[in-house]
Amino acid sequence: MAREFQRGHKARISDLTAGTDLYVGVQISGPGLTFDISCFGLDADERLSDDRYFIFFNQPKSPEESLQLLGPQAGDTESFRVTLDGIPQQIKKLSFTATLDGAGQMSQIGPGYIRIVAGGEEVARYPFSGSEFSTERAVMLGDFYFKDVWRFAAVGQGFDGGLEALLKNFGGEVAEEEPAAPQQPQPPQAGGAVPGFAPPAFGVPGTPAQAPAPVPAPAPAPAPVAQPTAQGFAPPPGATPPAPAPSVHAAPTIVAPLNTPPGGSPVPPPSPAPAFGRPPGQQPPAPSAPPPPGYGAQPHVPQAPAPPPGYGQPTPPPGYGQQPPPGQMPPGQMPGQQASYGAPQGAPQGAPQSPGVLGALQMFKETPTGQRWTQQNPKLVRADLGMGGQPVLARQGSMVLYQGKVDFSYKGAGFSGRIVGNATGQEMQLMRCTGQGQVFFAENATMLHPIELQGDAVCVSAESVLAFDESLQYEVRRIEGHGIPGGALFTMQFQGTGTIVVKTQGVPVVLPVTPTTFADANAVVAWSAASQVIVSSQVRMRRNSYPGDTGESVNLQFRGAPGNFIVVQPYEI
């Protein structure tokens, strides 16, 4: 039975099949769309250093024939033959891609797949559809990459720039076509016709179009020669379109889905990154100019520099000490709904401010919103356990106040969990909060940012996690890389439906992921789980043979489709 992959899943090919002579089939289609499906043979730096290993319709095989383009067959739009034990040592990755030839975008495609067949039996399949993409015109579907052994990865990421952006990402160059030499005007013959020239079917605006002169029919183009399949290699049996994809594999290696806009026209823009520091449910103010993708709305900055909130005299957040206008309910409270458990009742409309201590502390009153998670100020967050019916997992010792009947118990990670946590540095000492009431969390006056997940995933270092809903799934994820001892780092991946509270030192910045986005591993806080992250090293023998060090030798490189983001704090752990 074929193993089904999701975007971000990886596996050793030896775990899928013992064979090395593989058939790779790609099925992709869309109304009115034309596709070019190719394979890039990349070196250890993920560059196309030898263009003879760019396999496409105009170059159907590599020099030693370990990579061959077989053409459409067995229901596949395009297919390849890959002989793993014949690939040269300098080729470390095979990237199978699909690009649009003409107008359109990947969100318009129907259900498709990339699959691996060995010995006539399908062993792996990565299904995809237009709902996973937006405005991309070139997509990396799947990779074969060599890391000790050959492995397969379901990628599902692309570029808006099409084939040109894809070639530049792999270090290739796009050949520019030379403009055709302008034709010299010739004197018109009798009847006003110019020999060898056919006027266009439409005229210049404002002038009536003239009927075109008859032109001799061009000679028919020669029929394309079909590429013969390799000797002794049989494609998978059956020539009918494949059946619907089976259910998702029960034990994925790495799960990294990302909410993407549904297919169809028009296509909505990529969803922005989470608005850090804003209470859940509060809408950001409309910016004066559209921000770049992935940036949250930023507050208005006065001309005179002002200290950040929390320094000196605290600046009350929006809504502190203010009464709602007449006829408007408090934030998060529905008409006819009573205030949440333990929430203070608002003062009557039009009542004067109380003198004395209560009046002076009015701006610091608790903020009721009727939601499960409420940010009281930039450094304090409240969880209402009576809403949702799910316990809350929080860092031990992070509770500063609670109201109602709340029980706190130890949340152990188990023997294997402690071993993994100690080995990877991603161990979390947690407590479980259950009952009926509200719990307030904070830690060392760090800034807190509730992030609501709706079935998607986010990667956060365990050091930056304060609390989260128990309904979220979390696991240690490995960041792959090369060039440093060990070749990898680790982080925590949270996925599901719920809220996670992330803490930062200072006000963070949210940046969209581009092919040239690098971040210090000690300053990055979180990123979208669909981003491809590798460890990048700038260590050079000539640079390090002299005394002195820049301190920036190792960092993280991020790659991903539009809509992916990273969060960086102005502080290094």
Side-chain angles (χ1 to χ4, degrees), residues 28-280:
I28 184 171
S29 61
L33 302 180
T34 305
F35 300 90
D36 290 331
I37 303 174
S38 311
C39 176
F40 289 83
L42 309 176
D43 57 18
D45 296 328
E46 298 187 3
R47 296 296 181 186
L48 184 65
S49 55
D50 190 344
D51 57 6
R52 297 178 301 171
Y53 290 89
F54 175 30
I55 308 303
F56 64 113
F57 63 90
N58 207 26
Q59 186 168 259
K61 60 183 179 180
S62 60
E64 74 291 334
E65 299 186 359
S66 61
L67 303 175
Q68 299 182 33
L69 184 69
L70 303 179
Q73 55 182 316
D76 298 330
T77 308
E78 191 61 87
S79 60
F80 300 84
R81 180 188 181 184
V82 179
T83 308
L84 293 179
D85 51 6
I87 297 177
Q89 294 184 355
Q90 69 270 18
I91 302 299
K92 299 298 183 181
K93 175 181 283 191
L94 305 177
S95 182
F96 296 91
T97 66
T99 58
L100 278 167
D101 183 8
Q105 50 195 11
M106 289 296 177
S107 61
Q108 300 172 344
I109 67 175
Y113 60 79
I114 178 173
R115 61 173 179 160
I116 303 175
V117 178
E121 179 181 358
E122 183 175 325
V123 296
R125 175 186 289 247
Y126 163 45
F128 54 84
S129 64
S131 61
E132 300 182 26
F133 309 108
S134 56
T135 58
E136 296 93 331
R137 291 181 46 79
V139 174
M140 297 178 292
L141 300 175
D143 291 343
F144 286 9
Y145 65 100
F146 186 84
K147 186 177 181 182
D148 302 329
V149 295
W150 281 102
R151 307 165 187 254
F152 173 71
V155 181
Q157 297 179 1
F159 302 89
D160 291 351
L163 179 60
E164 181 177 358
L166 190 64
L167 286 171
K168 290 182 178 179
N169 178 69
F170 292 144
E173 297 181 356
V174 181
E176 299 182 357
E177 298 182 357
E178 298 181 358
Q183 297 183 356
Q184 297 294 332
Q186 299 181 1
Q189 296 180 351
V194 180
F197 175 76
F202 54 90
V204 180
T207 59
Q210 299 180 0
V215 180
V225 180
Q227 296 293 337
T229 56
Q231 296 292 334
F233 181 81
T240 58
S247 59
V248 178
H249 192 266
T253 305
I254 296 178
V255 182
L258 179 66
N259 282 351
T260 53
S265 180
V267 177
S271 59
F276 284 80
R278 184 179 302 113

Side-chain angles (χ1 to χ4, degrees), residues 506-533:
V507 181
V509 60
V510 183
L511 298 174
V513 172
T514 66
T516 57
T517 300
F518 295 83
D520 193 306
N522 294 322
V524 66
V525 176
W527 61 87
S528 52
S531 301
Q532 181 184 6
V533 188

Side-chain angles (χ1 to χ4, degrees), residues 327-501:
Q328 180 177 347
M329 301 300 295
Q333 182 174 341
M334 303 301 293
Q337 177 184 359
Q338 298 295 330
S340 59
Y341 184 89
Q345 302 294 330
Q349 297 294 335
Q353 183 176 355
S354 303
V357 177
L358 292 179
L361 300 179
Q362 182 74 16
M363 66 176 62
F364 302 111
K365 289 180 58 178
E366 179 185 1
T367 303
T369 62
Q371 299 182 5
R372 177 170 172 84
W373 291 88
T374 306
Q375 189 159 10
Q376 301 298 304
N377 59 52
K379 302 179 181 180
L380 184 67
V381 68
R382 185 192 76 180
D384 193 337
L385 301 179
M387 302 185 62
Q390 287 286 339
V392 169
L393 300 180
R395 186 178 295 272
Q396 294 180 9
S398 61
M399 186 276 295
V400 297
L401 169 70
Y402 72 91
Q403 297 172 306
K405 185 178 180 180
V406 180
D407 294 329
F408 300 92
S409 60
Y410 173 74
K411 174 65 170 66
F415 179 74
S416 60
R418 290 195 301 269
I419 293 179
V420 173
N422 291 331
T424 61
Q426 298 298 313
E427 182 179 11
M428 295 188 295
Q429 300 292 337
L430 300 175
M431 62 179 179
R432 177 185 281 111
C433 310
T434 58
Q436 295 291 327
Q438 295 82 34
V439 186
F440 294 74
F441 299 103
E443 187 177 72
N444 297 332
T446 54
M447 304 194 71
L448 304 181
H449 314 280
I451 306 175
E452 183 178 0
L453 301 180
Q454 296 291 342
D456 46 352
V458 64
C459 291
V460 187
S461 174
E463 181 66 24
S464 301
V465 177
L466 180 69
F468 56 93
D469 288 322
E470 194 178 36
S471 58
L472 293 178
Q473 302 174 1
Y474 58 97
E475 63 180 353
V476 178
R477 178 175 175 180
R478 185 171 182 266
I479 303 173
E480 299 188 357
H482 53 80
I484 64 172
L489 297 174
F490 299 89
T491 186
M492 296 296 297
Q493 176 177 292
F494 292 82
Q495 180 185 5
T497 301
T499 299
I500 175 175
V501 180

